Amino acid sequence: MGNVYDVIIVGASFSGSMTALSLKSQKVLLVEKRKQPGTPVNTTGAVPIEWITKMGVFPSNDCIAGNLRGVELVAPNGESATLRNEQPDGMVLYPDRYVKWLANRAVDSGSELLTDTIFKGLAVEDGAVAVETSKGTFRGRYVVGAGLTT
């Protein structure tokens, strides 16, 4: 059956790279249609500091645009309420840099990354899922669609 991956992830943006990072002991292939994960930007960049710390994906400084110390809630009638904290509880990231950083961490942890690779389809063959791409067919036990669009 040749080279078989435990998991093939189609889409190396935020969700695909996070999935790859969670599968460190597995043989993982990330398939990304763009030349570089994270570009163009397709997400916002506000995240809770507690969450990224617990997940073990606290970004490098060049990914951080600024810190958040609260929130302002604005009602449809224009009234607002502001909640402020002394310490930052969230941060604004540069999404393109952060996704690239996440994809690089996934590669550092053993995942393979194919960029500039178009997903063409899949089929079950010989007990594995065959994922057809613009760079050939790859086989895996499982496939995760983390960036499939129609």
Side-chain angles (χ1 to χ4, degrees):
M1 194 180 333
N3 196 8
V4 178
Y5 294 87
D6 293 312
V7 181
I8 298 174
I9 302 169
V10 180
S13 195
F14 182 80
S15 59
S17 293
M18 285 296 294
T19 301
L21 281 168
S22 72
L23 299 169
K24 290 180 184 175
S25 63
Q26 306 292 313
K27 186 173 182 181
V28 176
L29 175 65
L30 276 162
V31 177
E32 173 56 45
K33 68 181 175 184
R34 296 178 177 98
K35 293 184 187 306
Q36 174 177 290
T39 56
V41 174
N42 57 4
T43 185
T44 60
V47 296
I49 291 174
E50 181 181 7
W51 180 83
I52 59 176
T53 301
K54 284 183 178 179
M55 294 297 294
V57 291
F58 198 91
S60 60
N61 286 337
D62 67 319
C63 297
I64 302 170
N67 290 314
L68 299 173
R69 290 183 168 80
V71 64
E72 180 179 14
L73 306 170
V74 181
N77 67 2
E79 292 184 35
S80 66
T82 303
L83 305 170
R84 296 257 184 245
N85 296 317
E86 282 188 34
Q87 297 298 316
D89 58 356
M91 62 177 50
V92 176
L93 302 174
Y94 296 110
D96 55 338
R97 294 179 191 175
Y98 188 55
V99 168
K100 182 180 177 186
W101 183 86
L102 285 171
N104 287 337
R105 297 300 73 73
V107 169
D108 291 346
S109 71
S111 295
E112 292 180 45
L113 173 63
L114 282 179
T115 56
D116 204 19
T117 306
I118 304 299
F119 168 81
K120 293 186 173 186
L122 54 87
V124 177
E125 296 177 357
D126 300 324
V129 181
V131 176
E132 184 183 348
T133 74
S134 59
K135 291 188 179 173
T137 301
F138 302 91
R139 287 168 178 66
R141 294 177 56 217
Y142 301 97
V143 176
V144 175
L148 298 174
T149 57
T150 56

